[in-house]
Amino acid sequence: MTQRLAPDPARDSLPREAPSYPLPRAPETDITASWMGHASVLFQVGGLNILADPVWSERASPIAWAGPRRFTSPPVALEALPPIDVVVISHGHYDHLDGRTVDALHERHGAGLVWLTPPGYRSWFRARGVRGVVELGWWRSASVRLDSGVVRAHALPSRHWSQRQAFGREHRLWASWAFTTPAGRAVYYGGDSGYFAGFGEIGRALGPLDLAALPVGAYEPRWFMAAAHMNPEEAVQAYLDLGGVGACLGIHWGTFRLTDEDPLEPPVRTRSAWAAAGLDPRLLHLGPVGATVHCDGRARTDR
C-alpha cells in the first residue's frame, strides 16, 4: 500500500521576516548569514557580500512550467539585495544552480562579480556570457581581494553528485565551502551533502567555526537519499564533527518539495536531535525565512 504523503504547505504560509543585514556591507570584523530559502544564503564575511547557491526562480527545474514549485517566496527581491561581491556554487542541480538567477545577477553586477565553483562549470557560465569564474577543486583555496574586503575561499569535499541532464555524463564536481578572514573568523557552507567522515577533517583543518550552514531536509526515503542528503540527526552529528561550536543555520528545507518527508518535519527533528546532543539551543537557527544570524565571535567559546 502506497503511503500518503503530507501535503505541501500553503503558499507563503511559513513564517518570513525581512533580513536584518547591515547595508551596504557588514564591517570586516563581523559575520552575518541571511537565509533566503532552500539553500540560498547571503553571507557577510570579511567585508564582502557572498551569495551562496542563489535560486530566485519559481521552479527548481530546467523549464518554467514544470518541476518542483516553490511554496515559500524569497524574502526579498533579487534586485533588492545589497551589492553582491561573490557568488559561490556548490553543485549543478537545479535547486542550487539556476540559470535565470545567474543571468539576473550577471546583468546587475557585470564583470565585477566573482563566481566560485568546483571544477567543470566554466564553460556553462561562459555560454551565458559570464567570464569571472574561479574553479577550485577540493582542498584548494584562493584569496578574494576587493575594495570592500578580503576572504580566503576554500573548496571542500561533500558527499553528493551533480548531474543536470537525464542522459549522458557530465564532468562537474560538487563541493562544500568555507570562508576565512585575516582576523581568524571562519564560516562553513555545506551546500548539499550526505553524511560522511569528511566533516571531521574539515573541522580539524579550518575550525573553530563561527557559523556552519548545514542541510537538514530532503532525506526520505533513506534507502535512496542517504547517499546524497543528511537527515536532521546526521546534520547535528556533522555539526559536532565540525567542532561543535559556533552558530548552526539549518538550510535545504521549507521551499521546494524534493523528497517524501513532510516539508515541515526537518526543523522539528533537528531541534529534537540538537537537544538530545545537549547543545545550546541559542546556537541553532531554523528560520524564519529571511532571518539573519549575527555572529559576534562569542559563539566560538567551548560549550
Side-chain angles (χ1 to χ4, degrees):
M1 181 175 180
T2 302
Q3 183 177 358
R4 185 184 298 273
L5 299 181
D8 288 353
R11 180 66 181 239
D12 291 333
S13 61
L14 272 66
R16 292 193 302 161
E17 65 180 48
S20 60
Y21 41 66
L23 293 171
R25 294 174 174 85
E28 290 188 32
T29 55
D30 292 352
I31 288 175
T32 78
S34 300
W35 184 41
M36 299 296 170
H38 197 54
S40 301
V41 182
L42 174 63
F43 296 103
Q44 294 179 306
V45 187
L48 301 182
N49 291 334
I50 302 171
L51 191 56
D53 285 1
V55 176
W56 259 252
S57 288
E58 182 68 11
R59 296 183 185 271
S61 171
I63 51 180
W65 49 268
R69 188 173 188 176
R70 46 188 333 135
F71 49 79
T72 301
S73 302
V76 295
L78 192 64
E79 60 271 16
L81 289 173
I84 304 301
D85 304 300
V86 178
V87 178
V88 59
I89 302 298
S90 66
H91 67 291
H93 288 157
Y94 287 97
D95 58 319
H96 293 259
L97 177 59
D98 175 54
R100 289 176 286 274
T101 302
V102 168
D103 293 344
L105 287 167
H106 177 60
E107 182 177 355
R108 178 183 176 190
H109 297 284
L113 191 55
V114 177
W115 300 80
L116 298 175
T117 77
Y121 294 83
R122 186 174 285 116
S123 60
W124 184 92
F125 278 92
R126 187 172 295 159
R128 310 188 84 90
V130 178
R131 295 291 187 269
V133 175
V134 178
E135 294 185 340
L136 294 175
W138 291 352
W139 298 111
R140 306 289 291 182
S141 61
S143 289
V144 180
R145 296 180 179 273
L146 302 173
D147 291 342
S148 53
V150 57
V151 298
R152 188 80 176 167
H154 309 262
L156 300 165
S158 64
R159 185 186 180 194
H160 205 62
W161 57 295
S162 197
Q163 191 88 356
R164 280 176 75 87
Q165 299 177 356
F167 303 100
R169 295 198 61 180
E170 297 180 5
H171 301 283
R172 296 178 180 137
L173 192 60
W174 49 94
S176 61
W177 293 85
F179 298 94
T180 57
T181 75
R185 310 298 298 275
V187 168
Y188 176 73
Y189 175 68
D192 202 355
S193 180
Y195 179 75
F196 73 126
F199 289 116
E201 188 177 3
I202 292 167
R204 290 187 293 272
L206 295 171
L209 301 172
D210 290 280
L211 179 141
L214 293 171
V216 300
Y219 47 79
E220 294 291 353
R222 296 309 291 152
W223 67 266
F224 182 62
M225 303 310 301
H229 291 156
M230 292 187 286
N231 65 23
E233 294 76 21
E234 291 168 331
V236 172
Q237 185 59 55
Y239 171 84
L240 292 170
D241 294 353
L242 288 165
V245 296
C248 180
L249 172 62
I251 63 171
H252 208 264
W253 70 278
T255 307
F256 298 106
R257 179 66 169 266
L258 302 174
T259 47
D260 287 356
E261 78 272 4
D262 185 333
L264 300 182
E265 182 182 83
V268 176
R269 281 180 56 174
T270 304
R271 290 189 183 96
S272 178
W274 192 267
L279 294 165
D280 186 342
R282 295 171 298 179
L283 297 178
L284 179 62
H285 303 271
L286 293 163
V289 177
T292 300
V293 181
H294 295 261
C295 300
D296 60 9
R298 289 179 293 180
R300 290 161 64 90
T301 59
D302 291 339
R303 58 184 179 94

